[in-house]
Amino acid sequence: MLTIEFILLLLLLTAVSSLITLRFRQKVPQPVILIALGVCAGLAGMHVQLHPELFMFVFLPPLLFADAFRMPLREFGELRGPILFLAFGLVVLSTLLCGYAIHWILPVMSLPVCFTLSAALSPTDTVAVSSLIKGRRVPTRLLQLLSGEALFNDASGLVCFRFAMADALTGEFSYQQAFGTFLLVAFGGLAIGGIVAWVAARLNKMLTRSGYDETQSQIVLVLLLPFLMYALAEAMGCSGILAAVAGCMVVKLSGIVEDASTSTRLQSATVWTMVSYVFNALIFLFLGLQLPSLLQSAHTLVLAQHVGMWRLGLLVVQIYCIMLVMRFMGVWLSIACRWASARINHVPFEATGLAASLLLSFAGVRGAVTLAAVLSLPTGEDGTMSFPTREAVVVIATGVIILSLLVASVIIPLCLKFIPAELVDKSAQEENMARQRLLRAALDLLRKAETMPAIETLPETEEDRAAIEAARMEVIARLTKLYQTRLEQEDATPRIARADRRNAIRHARMELALRLQILRAERQTMRELVAQQDINDQTEWKLQQELDYEEEVIHALAQRLPKEV
């Protein structure tokens, strides 16, 4: 049972992991550091029992909801074929083929048990994938494909896992019944999530129009929404994971984000960022906390079977390699299908390349969802039938999880070095194009404002009207110059010379650095005003917020600046 002290300690370890990650200059992924901290805490005597159902209910809905919100709908529509194949087709194929391969390597395990193990290992973990590639310059197309796949394959993998577990326990299995149940679970979850989100969106719009648009209450209600979707879907025997994902898509399409006030959008973005950060970290900490006891189980297992620990390690490597080869073949099969579709429809085909294919293959990391699945296998302690060779399945699955995470941490940065840079910069080019269009729209409005008459106010003298008109034209001229300067600074065209481009980037960096120095000087002056009691802390807080927003804009501009070429 979690206590307040344990929760506070876990949050402290979360903060410490970020500091250690910065110390290693992002060379060691934060998930690896979190697992190591969890292992250290477990060895020091901290033990938290992982309840699979509670774990999935608490962590999966908000994280999947947040990941689905970051998935662009346009790219999801364009990549729906590869995403659905990897999320559903590859999961089913991996469950069947890898199950037979595991049974061939380890014939002492029955075939249904092998299917159960392969089904638990078949889905990639959305939390692990997003944590590994966070902060890296991954090509946008690959990132969207991985994110879209991870949103759905948890559901398909867990459904396959339930069928395989039932077959191992009862020996009764029907492909026709399994297929029908799979469709019911999947489409039922999608429907429930979509309906709940549609009703919530309608209620939110009614409240907003009635004047009940209080920021904090709206944020809390949206935070509770994925839990409601998940709970309703699971209570009706459907997929809560797909319900959370589908619900988020409907929320995006409903337009309630655009209808929300500016303060609601800003504060909700901060809240969701913190929720994702803390929940992601806690998942890996929980995984690390389970490792000492699982390692003890592995030691007991090899002693009971009279084999060496290296045999167990070799078995884990073999199973991981089988899953990796299967995923690599699935990636290439999806590429072949995209190529065939492009030829048939006479549309351009963008080749993926070997390095990108390897990245997609090694990014198939197994994570806490797999561990929660195998830990949910019945132990028989409550009088029910125990799962055959449960300890072996749990130990092997844990070994594959750790191995996949460590290998991906090493291979993914190597693969990124061989991916052409122009694939990474497409999103930045699109962003610059959009910025130029927005600035031109602002300039068009200002040009129209020059020819429009001034707004009529109370009767005034001719001199007053002339002064108001002169002030209006001065404001328009100043804003026109400001937006024209911003438009000229948007360097999105590759037609300029390389030297001119390098100079433009350097000038932009120098300007941003100078603006940061100005902000620091302003902050120092503000602290002096507080120390001299010329202003109170409330005034300081309001001014601090303004400076913080300005600094965020400067940092965002600095991050999207390309490298000097």
Side-chain angles (χ1 to χ4, degrees):
M1 186 68 180
L2 282 174
T3 64
I4 297 297
E5 292 81 2
F6 276 9
I7 294 175
L8 294 177
L9 179 58
L10 290 174
L11 293 177
L12 175 62
L13 292 177
T14 298
V16 170
S17 69
S18 297
L19 298 178
I20 297 176
T21 304
L22 291 176
R23 177 65 180 83
F24 285 105
R25 302 181 182 275
Q26 307 287 341
K27 293 181 179 179
V28 181
Q30 190 172 2
V32 176
I33 296 174
L34 285 164
I35 291 175
L37 290 175
V39 171
C40 294
L43 293 175
M46 181 178 178
H47 178 70
V48 178
Q49 186 178 358
L50 187 64
H51 298 279
E53 293 184 359
L54 181 61
F55 172 83
M56 291 185 180
F57 175 72
V58 172
F59 288 97
L60 287 188
L63 291 177
L64 288 171
F65 195 86
D67 287 340
F69 193 83
R70 288 190 287 265
M71 180 70 192
L73 295 175
R74 183 190 66 183
E75 278 71 15
F76 178 77
E78 295 173 355
L79 296 171
R80 62 184 181 276
I83 286 175
L84 295 179
F85 171 75
L86 293 175
F88 292 97
L90 183 58
V91 166
V92 176
L93 288 175
S94 297
T95 300
L96 295 174
L97 298 181
C98 294
Y100 281 112
I102 294 172
H103 182 63
W104 178 73
I105 295 174
L106 203 62
V108 294
M109 274 191 181
S110 65
L111 195 57
V113 173
C114 294
F115 284 150
T116 304
L117 176 58
S118 61
L121 293 171
S122 57
T124 59
D125 190 275
T126 178
V127 178
V129 172
S130 59
S131 299
L132 277 177
I133 60 182
K134 181 181 179 181
R136 301 184 184 275
R137 293 178 61 84
V138 183
T140 306
R141 212 69 167 175
L142 300 182
L143 184 60
Q144 291 159 352
L145 184 58
L146 286 171
S147 301
E149 175 200 2
L151 287 176
F152 293 96
N153 63 9
D154 283 344
S156 57
L158 290 176
V159 171
C160 293
F161 174 80
R162 291 173 185 172
F163 286 130
M165 180 179 64
D167 184 21
L169 289 173
T170 63
E172 298 178 0
F173 182 77
S174 168
Y175 283 101
Q176 183 177 2
Q177 181 183 2
F179 182 72
T181 307
F182 183 86
L183 293 180
L184 176 64
V185 168
F187 287 102
L190 293 172
I192 291 171
I195 293 172
V196 172
W198 182 81
V199 172
R202 297 290 297 178
L203 289 175
N204 183 77
K205 288 188 177 181
M206 291 173 57
L207 292 173
T208 302
R209 290 168 184 168
S210 302
Y212 298 99
D213 55 348
E214 203 269 332
T215 298
Q216 284 74 19
S217 62
Q218 282 192 330
I219 294 174
V220 172
L221 291 174
V222 173
L223 276 174
L224 295 175
L225 196 57
F227 294 104
L228 176 62
M229 298 171 184
Y230 187 94
L232 284 177
E234 291 292 327
M236 299 180 69
C238 300
S239 172
I241 294 174
L242 291 179
V245 174
C248 180
M249 297 294 186
V250 173
V251 167
K252 291 178 69 174
L253 291 171
S254 66
I256 64 174
V257 177
E258 291 77 10
D259 294 338
S261 63
T262 304
S263 62
T264 300
R265 285 197 297 269
L266 290 173
Q267 293 184 41
S268 63
T270 303
V271 170
W272 276 104
T273 300
M274 285 303 302
V275 168
S276 299
Y277 168 74
V278 173
F279 277 35
N280 280 330
L282 289 177
I283 283 179
F284 291 107
L285 283 175
F286 277 121
L287 178 58
L289 286 169
Q290 309 305 311
L291 289 186
S293 61
L294 292 173
L295 186 61
Q296 182 63 36
S297 299
H299 181 67
T300 305
L301 180 65
V302 296
L303 289 179
Q305 298 296 325
H306 304 288
V307 296
M309 186 66 79
W310 68 270
R311 293 285 298 274
L312 181 60
L314 179 61
L315 178 62
V316 168
V317 172
Q318 288 175 320
I319 294 176
Y320 171 71
C321 291
I322 291 171
M323 304 295 293
L324 183 63
V325 170
M326 186 67 202
R327 180 171 176 83
F328 185 77
M329 293 172 60
V331 168
W332 274 101
L333 182 59
S334 67
I335 294 173
C337 292
R338 283 198 297 116
W339 174 82
S341 176
R343 291 292 299 271
I344 293 173
N345 297 321
H346 303 286
V347 295
F349 172 72
E350 185 177 310
T352 303
L354 180 60
S357 301
L358 289 174
L359 186 146
L360 289 173
S361 301
F362 283 98
V365 180
R366 277 69 187 177
V369 172
T370 296
L371 182 61
V374 294
L375 288 178
S376 68
L377 294 172
T379 60
E381 295 178 355
D382 54 354
T384 59
M385 182 183 300
S386 63
F387 189 83
T389 62
R390 179 184 183 276
E391 291 300 322
V393 171
V394 173
V395 169
I396 293 172
T398 305
V400 174
I401 291 171
I402 300 302
L403 183 61
S404 66
L405 189 60
L406 293 177
V407 172
S409 302
V410 176
I411 299 299
I412 287 179
L414 293 178
C415 293
L416 290 175
K417 293 181 180 180
F418 296 96
I419 296 179
E422 60 268 14
L423 293 179
V424 180
D425 295 332
K426 285 187 176 180
S427 60
Q429 294 174 3
E430 180 177 306
E431 181 182 339
N432 285 338
M433 179 273 294
R435 290 178 184 275
Q436 288 184 345
R437 293 283 293 273
L438 295 177
L439 291 171
R440 289 194 179 98
L443 289 171
D444 290 341
L445 179 63
L446 290 172
R447 294 189 187 100
K448 291 179 182 178
E450 290 180 352
T451 59
M452 293 172 58
I455 300 176
E456 294 292 337
T457 57
L458 296 175
E460 296 165 337
T461 63
E462 187 67 29
E463 291 80 4
D464 290 337
R465 282 195 292 269
I468 291 175
E469 182 64 20
R472 189 175 75 90
M473 297 306 295
E474 181 183 351
V475 170
I476 291 175
R478 186 166 64 249
L479 288 176
T480 301
K481 183 178 180 181
L482 173 65
Y483 281 96
Q484 189 65 45
T485 302
R486 289 182 181 178
L487 183 60
E488 292 172 356
Q489 289 177 345
E490 287 296 329
D491 183 24
T493 171
R495 293 190 295 270
I496 63 174
R498 175 171 294 186
D500 294 336
R501 181 178 176 82
R502 185 185 297 114
N503 289 332
I505 294 172
R506 288 176 178 173
H507 288 167
R509 284 184 176 156
M510 284 190 290
E511 178 187 339
L512 294 176
L514 184 57
R515 288 173 64 180
L516 282 175
Q517 292 179 11
I518 294 172
L519 277 177
R520 294 192 186 100
E522 290 177 332
R523 293 184 192 277
Q524 180 62 34
T525 302
M526 187 169 58
R527 283 193 290 268
E528 293 174 357
L529 290 173
V530 174
Q532 297 167 5
Q533 297 187 354
D534 291 333
I535 61 174
N536 62 11
D537 54 350
Q538 193 66 26
T539 303
E540 179 196 17
W541 174 250
K542 292 179 181 179
L543 295 175
Q544 191 78 268
Q545 281 187 310
E546 296 178 8
L547 297 179
D548 289 342
Y549 282 127
E550 186 176 353
E551 186 170 351
E552 281 296 312
V553 172
I554 294 174
H555 283 305
L557 293 173
Q559 288 177 358
R560 71 183 185 89
L561 279 177
K563 295 181 178 180
E564 295 184 20
V565 293

